Amino acid sequence: DALITSINHSSPPSSTKRHLKISIIGTGNVGMAIAQTILTQDLVDELALVDALPEKLRGEMLDLQHAAAFLPRTTISASTDYAVTANSDLCIVTAGARQNPGESRLNLLQRNVGLFKKIVPPLVQYSPDCTLMVVSNPVDILTYVAWKLSGFTTNRVIGSGTNLDSSRFRSLVADHLDVNAQDVQAYIIGEHGDSSVALWSGISIAGVPVLNFLDKKQIPYKKETLEKIHKEVVNCAYEVIKLKGYTSWAVGYSVASLARSILRDQRRIHPVSVLAKGFYGIEGGDVFLSLPAQLGRAGILGVANVPISEEEAEQLRKSATTILELQAQLGD
Ligand code: 6V0
């Protein structure tokens, strides 16, 4: 078996193209955190913003433009008209309806599908060669919806998925072991949110598989400690929302790191939402779930064949079934 199962992808656009452009759809808390992180990282020549609220949109654009003296040079434009997104390399969708009190998850999902029907076709029309990145929740299902609406090949439609959950996981494991989070390799895969799967056996620090090391040295650890850390990963988003009303900074950095890997052809591995059918025995329909995927200029280049336990694979298949059931209720 190959280390990475390559995904069919067309050759990357000519490397002679110098002008890089990202469009962000939805300039709420999440969209603006992504925008500002991208600007500080000198990633693109042009940043276009789209929202349905023209005044808020113009206010955000001006506020960013006024920081020009402190930032790498980037042209920032904004409009409610999708023409502003023309020739983007990457389009990031963060637009989303807010859950009404008492509203069911399915109803919210249906409203967001309605929004995506207005958003994805014009993005594809104006940037037929772009990569689409979906951030809006529920991210796995909306990535599937965006893929269907776009007609793009699967390598060019990516959900930000558990990239954020994994960074939360790495920082909690790092705190626990008193090391730097950047030195912790650890993945959360599967559905972004409540039913995500933590890959415990894959955690390594300085190339040392942590649980294997503890077992070998007969250093005891409790299964409950591991479960507690995973629970914390799941709950910390709720905690932030309870405390400040929304989450923004961590998702901003998380999505900017995905954008960098794609546009700078970094070929790094990130857990992101991809068409998961065929991996780990996932069958029964087209379902997007996060798996460790290699990202580069052509979008998703492949999926890393990370060994997982039968229990973990079973959890993945269970999430896939739940998502497929919801997708079946969406209709056309
Ligand atoms: P927000 O602050 O309400 O922003 C949403 C924005 O979308 C608003 O500015 C709206 O005006 C805009 N909008 C609504 N309809 C349209 C439309 N048709 N066209 C263009 N813009 C439109 O929400 P926030 O920014 O906090 O969250 C955005 C989405 O990101 C939500 O679905 C969150 O659940 C999701 N998140 C996803 C995360 C992930 O890791 N995948 C993490 C955090 C939040």
Side-chain angles (χ1 to χ4, degrees):
D1 272 0
L3 187 63
I4 292 174
T5 301
S6 149
I7 297 257
N8 264 344
H9 55 80
S10 44
S11 51
S14 152
S15 56
T16 52
K17 183 176 182 293
R18 286 253 174 80
H19 188 88
L20 285 178
K21 176 170 176 177
I22 289 182
S23 291
I24 298 177
I25 319 308
T27 54
N29 303 302
V30 171
M32 290 316 293
I34 295 170
Q36 93 91 23
T37 312
I38 283 172
L39 285 177
T40 56
Q41 295 193 1
D42 197 9
L43 203 49
V44 287
D45 303 283
E46 193 178 346
L47 180 68
L49 307 173
V50 175
D51 200 280
L53 306 172
E55 287 178 5
K56 153 114 167 99
L57 182 61
R58 185 164 162 73
E60 292 289 11
M61 177 190 73
L62 291 174
D63 203 4
L64 286 181
Q65 285 173 345
H66 297 163
F70 312 106
L71 286 172
R73 188 168 179 277
T74 307
T75 307
I76 303 167
S77 50
S79 176
T80 52
D81 183 340
Y82 281 81
V84 78
T85 66
N87 299 317
S88 293
D89 299 279
L90 178 66
C91 293
I92 302 173
V93 184
T94 78
R98 290 208 169 171
Q99 196 158 8
N100 292 328
E103 184 179 27
S104 74
R105 229 181 124 207
L106 182 62
N107 204 58
L108 174 70
L109 172 61
Q110 258 152 351
R111 285 202 293 136
N112 274 334
V113 171
L115 288 189
F116 270 51
K117 284 184 178 162
K118 287 192 226 149
I119 293 169
V120 176
L123 286 179
V124 171
Q125 182 200 332
Y126 283 108
S127 303
D129 297 324
C130 75
T131 295
L132 275 176
M133 165 91 55
V134 176
V135 183
S136 318
N137 275 322
V139 66
D140 299 295
I141 300 183
L142 289 177
T143 306
Y144 162 80
V145 169
W147 173 58
K148 280 285 177 196
L149 290 169
S150 68
F152 282 1
T153 48
T154 51
N155 60 297
R156 284 167 55 208
V157 187
I158 305 168
S160 70
T162 56
N163 195 51
L164 174 59
D165 315 52
S166 298
S167 85
R168 288 172 174 148
F169 188 41
R170 288 167 66 193
S171 73
L172 288 173
V173 170
D175 280 354
H176 211 78
L177 299 173
D178 197 18
V179 295
N180 187 313
Q182 295 206 32
D183 289 330
V184 178
Q185 273 223 320
Y187 293 115
I188 299 262
I189 62 170
E191 191 183 5
H192 167 62
D194 300 354
S195 80
S196 63
V197 180
L199 296 185
W200 290 105
S201 54
I203 298 182
S204 70
I205 290 164
V208 180
V210 174
L211 291 198
N212 192 314
F213 175 84
L214 296 178
D215 286 338
K216 251 197 203 147
K217 299 274 175 193
Q218 297 181 333
I219 300 171
Y221 60 89
K222 291 195 187 118
K223 201 169 176 222
E224 295 87 77
T225 312
L226 306 188
E227 280 163 6
K228 209 176 129 222
I229 293 178
H230 185 212
K231 248 200 199 122
E232 239 179 294
V233 171
V234 172
N235 289 336
C236 61
Y238 294 112
E239 190 186 359
V240 175
I241 291 171
K242 197 171 142 215
L243 292 167
K244 67 174 245 188
Y246 53 86
T247 66
S248 59
W249 302 124
V251 64
Y253 279 98
S254 159
V255 174
S257 81
L258 299 177
R260 168 173 293 273
S261 289
I262 294 167
L263 295 185
R264 293 270 160 86
D265 200 28
Q266 293 294 296
R267 293 167 183 260
R268 289 190 59 195
I269 309 279
H270 295 269
V272 286
S273 201
V274 297
L275 185 66
K277 190 168 74 173
F279 291 99
Y280 304 111
I282 296 170
E283 299 298 340
D286 292 331
V287 59
F288 280 68
L289 285 173
S290 285
L291 297 175
Q294 189 184 35
L295 297 185
R297 197 64 186 83
I300 293 166
L301 309 181
V303 173
N305 288 311
V306 178
I308 71 174
S309 71
E310 187 41 41
E311 195 187 337
E312 289 160 348
E314 186 50 43
Q315 276 175 272
L316 275 185
R317 291 192 288 266
K318 218 172 118 198
S319 298
T321 307
T322 314
I323 290 177
L324 282 168
E325 280 167 10
L326 267 171
Q327 281 175 190
Q329 294 175 58
L330 287 179
D332 286 331

